[in-house]
Amino acid sequence: MESHGHSPLRADGPSPARLDVEASGDGSLVVRLSGDWLLGSGVPALTEVERSLRSGSARRLEFEAAALGRWNSALMVFLSKCADLCRDCGVEMGTSGLPPGAANLLRLARTAADKQAPASGALSATWLERVGGRVLAFAGGAGGFLTFLGECVVALFRLLRGRAQFRWTDTFLVMQECGPQALGIVALINFIVGLILAFVGTLQLARFGATIYSADLVAIATVREMACLMTGVIMCGRTGAAFAAQLGTMRVNQEIDAFQACGISPIEFLVLPRLMALILMMPLLCVFAAAIAIAGGFAVSTLMLDVAPTVYVRRTIDAVTLVSFLLGIGKGTIFGVLVALTGCHRGIQCGTNAAAVGRATTTAVVTGITAIIVSDGVFAVVCSALNI
Amino acid sequence: MPARFDKIEIRDVTLAYGSFVVLRDIRARIRPGAVFVIMGGSGCGKSTLLRALIGLRAPTDGEVLYDGIPFWGSGSEARQERLRSFGVLFQNGALWSSMTLAENIGLVLGEFTDLTPAEIRDVSRLKLSLVGLRGFEDFYPSEVSGGMAKRAGLARALALDPDILFLDEPSAGLDPITSRNLDELVLQLRDSLGATFVVVTHELASIFAIADECLFLDGSTRTMRAQGSPRALLETTDDPAVRAFLTRGASGAEAAGPAHAVSGNLLTA
């Protein structure tokens, strides 16, 4: 908002902005502007004008800008405040003394502002209102998740009956993303977990002269618990977050709305492939993870703790029962379902801006991991009650 | 600045993505205070040229001069300094969605000036009121309509009191009345601010309403085909492609291949 001919790259320093208020005989107040009115160079405050207007009996505010140098938004902000003040005091404001550009801009700012904004949603709420709002939001969120869950179940039944709007090609693509491409990280983490279990277990068992049982410990712990738990957490951070971000971005771009408008169910077309991919891949990943973890335990026991390799393998084979094996795989599959559901739900529920996608991804991972750990706890209680 | 130099001079600019040449030998001089329109059918490289002007994409060949000073030839610091005298309105407003309208404007002010938060607030309010959005300071971009978001984008472009304003498709996706109001706003801002405007558009109504001068880019030959005031071009040009564009393909459409392509673009756009 520079005055004509001014370039911001000009080198000479500004002369200070000045303001003189003078009452003239005919009941009008004259504000004399001089110097350069530029942003950041210190502009006189409105107080003097305000005092004169409120105390005096002026009926009209006039400006004189003969000595006005360069100006930009600083002057416009000042004039805009003057206009507000005049409106509040019921004083007429004359702009004839202003530079034509400034008068023009002021008119633009004032006339364009006639359209009043509706009240913004961001009203300040009391503490109680905020608590109530949170509770209602939580209840609404829980209800929303139950609805989503119901829709997914219905979609699964439609898939079983061959009626779902569902493409296996999409499913295979997601399977590739969350299966083979996840092998590296799953292997790394589970190998280290097996290693740690063997190391910590053996140190404790050695006190009872039972070092040999470290093979049992690693085998049972990984097959029943650690392999599926670690894989579930990895997949939640890796794949669940990806689902949420992907679907969230589709929500922002109105792609999900477009699916709905075309009569294509986003649950069947977007959620089902992801759900199916994890249901099919998680058991395989869990078996792979358990094998790698046992290999980790084997490495520590045979290389560092002097257990004979054949003995370790023999004990491992004896320790792993079919029930433990199936339990581990079953839990892994359930964790896969939880990851897919939380990831897709957060993605589909996403707001319509960039920050909402970030929030959706964060909450997807947080709720996913929480759900995995809580359900694992439930499994532990149920298994001990049933003596499995 | 003395009027010795043009505000912007585009000197034999060639733009390419890898070995694919989008535009070649673009030449134009834009005087201070002009509204300069870059027009052409979809995909002719209008936006690419704009990106070269606002520092987002270096030309493969040629140079852009502002006030006679080379833009791409100068160091990145001088270029950053120059960028601060630009205001850019992107195609969809490109407002930062996690900030309110006032914060969108205030961020730029906070980064590049020493203003206090209260002053920033005042300036943001003023800029929003200039585009008719007084009272919408605390709204998020997702809470306002497309036309309002675009005007808020214009307010953000105005934040630093720019010398030159670049508008990319300002009226695309707006209804005719909103789009006409925006054109009027552009003219009023030009008259009051004395800023130079570079507008990329293919909306004929806008072109005739606001352009002092325009540059016609042709996607098939990948270069400029005409330059001048739109009305003069319409009366004097004997280039069928330009005539077809300016008349929405009503005349000369069957005259030549490229012309037909342009009118076809318009009809299907």
Side-chain angles (χ1 to χ4, degrees), chain B residues 5-231:
Chain B
F5 296 114
D6 295 299
K7 191 74 204 166
I8 310 173
E9 185 186 345
I10 304 171
R11 197 181 276 174
D12 299 322
V13 163
T14 295
L15 288 154
Y17 290 97
S19 61
F20 177 76
V21 175
V22 183
L23 285 171
R24 69 165 68 90
D25 302 331
I26 305 299
R27 242 168 273 125
R29 288 162 171 272
I30 304 169
R31 57 184 172 72
V35 175
F36 186 84
V37 167
I38 301 170
M39 62 178 185
S42 302
C44 69
K46 300 187 296 283
S47 294
T48 312
L49 178 58
L50 186 75
R51 289 171 71 81
L53 295 179
I54 59 177
L56 291 178
R57 174 166 204 90
T60 325
D61 200 13
E63 179 59 288
V64 181
L65 295 95
Y66 289 100
D67 298 321
I69 302 164
F71 180 62
W72 288 102
S74 55
S76 80
E77 226 161 87
R79 206 156 56 230
Q80 287 298 325
E81 182 71 26
R82 174 64 70 177
L83 284 178
R84 265 172 235 169
S85 66
F86 293 172
V88 183
L89 167 63
F90 289 94
Q91 228 175 76
N92 295 313
L95 294 168
W96 298 304
S97 55
S98 57
M99 298 177 212
T100 63
L101 301 189
E103 285 167 350
N104 260 280
I105 299 166
L107 178 75
V108 190
L109 289 166
E111 286 296 314
F112 298 119
T113 64
D114 306 324
L115 300 183
T116 64
E119 287 171 322
I120 289 179
R121 179 89 193 156
D122 286 340
V123 176
S124 309
R125 193 192 305 256
L126 171 78
K127 304 288 171 180
L128 282 172
S129 68
L130 278 180
V131 297
L133 288 176
R134 171 179 279 223
F136 286 92
E137 288 86 3
D138 296 326
F139 280 62
Y140 283 91
S142 55
E143 295 173 324
V144 300
S145 71
M148 287 159 79
K150 209 154 244 185
R151 278 184 285 151
L154 183 57
R156 186 179 69 183
L158 290 169
L160 288 173
D161 293 338
D163 254 8
I164 309 175
L165 272 149
F166 296 93
L167 315 181
D168 192 1
E169 308 263 3
S171 42
L174 300 182
D175 67 80
I177 295 175
T178 313
S179 138
R180 202 191 131 194
N181 288 343
L182 200 68
D183 288 344
E184 269 172 22
L185 184 63
V186 166
L187 287 178
Q188 280 182 321
L189 287 173
R190 191 271 305 261
D191 292 342
S192 336
L193 306 174
T196 310
F197 280 74
V198 176
V199 183
V200 167
T201 186
H202 53 216
E203 303 275 329
L204 282 177
S206 279
I207 293 171
F208 283 110
I210 62 175
D212 294 321
E213 191 154 350
C214 59
L215 179 71
F216 181 77
L217 300 179
D218 182 18
S220 57
T221 57
R222 296 191 197 141
T223 186
M224 50 190 274
R225 280 185 79 145
Q227 191 176 0
S229 122
R231 274 169 222 294

Side-chain angles (χ1 to χ4, degrees), chain A residues 11-152:
Chain A
D12 52 339
S15 66
R18 273 178 57 80
L19 161 78
D20 298 298
V21 183
E22 193 179 289
S24 76
D26 56 349
S28 64
L29 199 67
V30 179
V31 177
R32 209 159 274 134
L33 307 166
S34 57
D36 292 332
W37 287 64
L38 300 173
L39 281 178
S41 62
V43 165
L46 196 63
T47 39
E48 203 179 334
V49 180
E50 186 171 6
R51 202 174 45 238
S52 314
L53 270 183
R54 291 204 192 277
S55 65
S57 54
R59 294 187 312 276
R60 199 174 155 75
L61 185 69
E62 284 289 351
F63 293 93
E64 200 200 292
L68 181 66
R70 291 176 290 164
W71 56 272
N72 62 17
S73 294
L75 179 69
M76 294 316 301
V77 169
F78 175 80
L79 293 176
S80 188
K81 283 180 174 169
C82 282
D84 283 339
L85 196 62
C86 286
R87 191 195 51 208
D88 293 347
C89 300
V91 172
E92 205 183 332
M93 179 164 150
T95 56
S96 52
L98 291 170
N104 208 355
L105 279 179
L106 188 65
R107 197 172 53 245
L108 193 61
R110 308 302 296 178
T111 50
D114 283 346
K115 235 185 290 171
Q116 250 325 307
S120 170
L123 289 172
S124 62
T126 65
W127 178 79
L128 207 57
E129 278 174 329
R130 283 203 299 275
V131 171
R134 288 277 174 85
V135 171
L136 286 178
F138 179 78
F145 184 74
L146 283 181
T147 311
F148 175 77
L149 195 64
E151 283 173 334
C152 286

Side-chain angles (χ1 to χ4, degrees), chain A residues 63-366:
Chain A
F63 293 93
E64 200 200 292
L68 181 66
R70 291 176 290 164
W71 56 272
N72 62 17
S73 294
L75 179 69
M76 294 316 301
V77 169
F78 175 80
L79 293 176
S80 188
K81 283 180 174 169
C82 282
D84 283 339
L85 196 62
C86 286
R87 191 195 51 208
D88 293 347
C89 300
V91 172
E92 205 183 332
M93 179 164 150
T95 56
S96 52
L98 291 170
N104 208 355
L105 279 179
L106 188 65
R107 197 172 53 245
L108 193 61
R110 308 302 296 178
T111 50
D114 283 346
K115 235 185 290 171
Q116 250 325 307
S120 170
L123 289 172
S124 62
T126 65
W127 178 79
L128 207 57
E129 278 174 329
R130 283 203 299 275
V131 171
R134 288 277 174 85
V135 171
L136 286 178
F138 179 78
F145 184 74
L146 283 181
T147 311
F148 175 77
L149 195 64
E151 283 173 334
C152 286
V153 172
V154 171
L156 262 181
F157 277 116
R158 286 176 61 90
L159 176 65
L160 290 179
R161 290 164 61 195
R163 288 196 184 168
Q165 293 158 324
F166 174 84
R167 295 196 306 190
W168 278 106
T169 44
D170 293 344
T171 314
F172 291 140
L173 267 177
V174 185
M175 276 165 74
Q176 189 188 352
E177 267 167 37
C178 64
Q181 289 178 6
L183 285 181
I185 181 81
V186 168
L188 177 71
I189 301 289
N190 280 288
F191 187 81
I192 294 174
V193 167
L195 216 111
I196 294 168
L197 278 175
F199 212 78
V200 174
T202 313
L203 285 182
Q204 299 303 314
L205 291 170
R207 292 160 69 182
F208 309 104
T211 318
I212 189 64
Y213 287 106
S214 70
D216 298 59
L217 181 113
V218 170
I220 294 171
T222 53
V223 169
R224 278 181 76 108
E225 285 292 339
M226 294 313 285
C228 58
L229 194 62
M230 294 315 293
T231 310
V233 171
I234 292 167
M235 294 313 280
C236 188
R238 193 183 171 281
T239 307
F243 288 174
Q246 222 172 1
L247 298 189
T249 311
M250 291 178 85
R251 166 66 80 196
V252 173
N253 292 338
Q254 294 190 307
E255 290 172 51
I256 291 183
D257 296 345
F259 275 125
Q260 273 167 331
C262 293
I264 296 172
S265 154
I267 302 278
E268 290 177 17
F269 200 80
L270 296 172
V271 178
L272 265 195
R274 290 170 170 77
L275 187 62
M276 287 307 294
L278 274 182
I279 288 178
L280 294 174
M281 279 294 126
M282 273 304 276
L284 301 180
L285 280 175
C286 284
V287 173
F288 172 76
I292 291 285
I294 289 174
F298 178 81
V300 168
S301 302
T302 54
L303 297 179
M304 299 175 67
L305 305 167
D306 295 330
V307 178
T310 45
V311 175
Y312 190 92
V313 171
R314 187 71 248 161
R315 291 223 61 88
T316 302
I317 291 171
D318 288 344
V320 178
T321 61
L322 183 64
V323 173
S324 310
F325 184 72
L326 291 180
L327 181 69
I329 290 180
K331 283 206 293 191
T333 312
I334 302 279
F335 295 163
V337 171
L338 291 175
V339 167
L341 287 181
T342 49
C344 293
H345 176 239
R346 294 301 182 185
I348 282 194
Q349 293 274 298
C350 179
T352 50
N353 60 44
V357 176
R359 267 198 306 278
T361 313
T362 312
T363 47
V365 174
V366 171

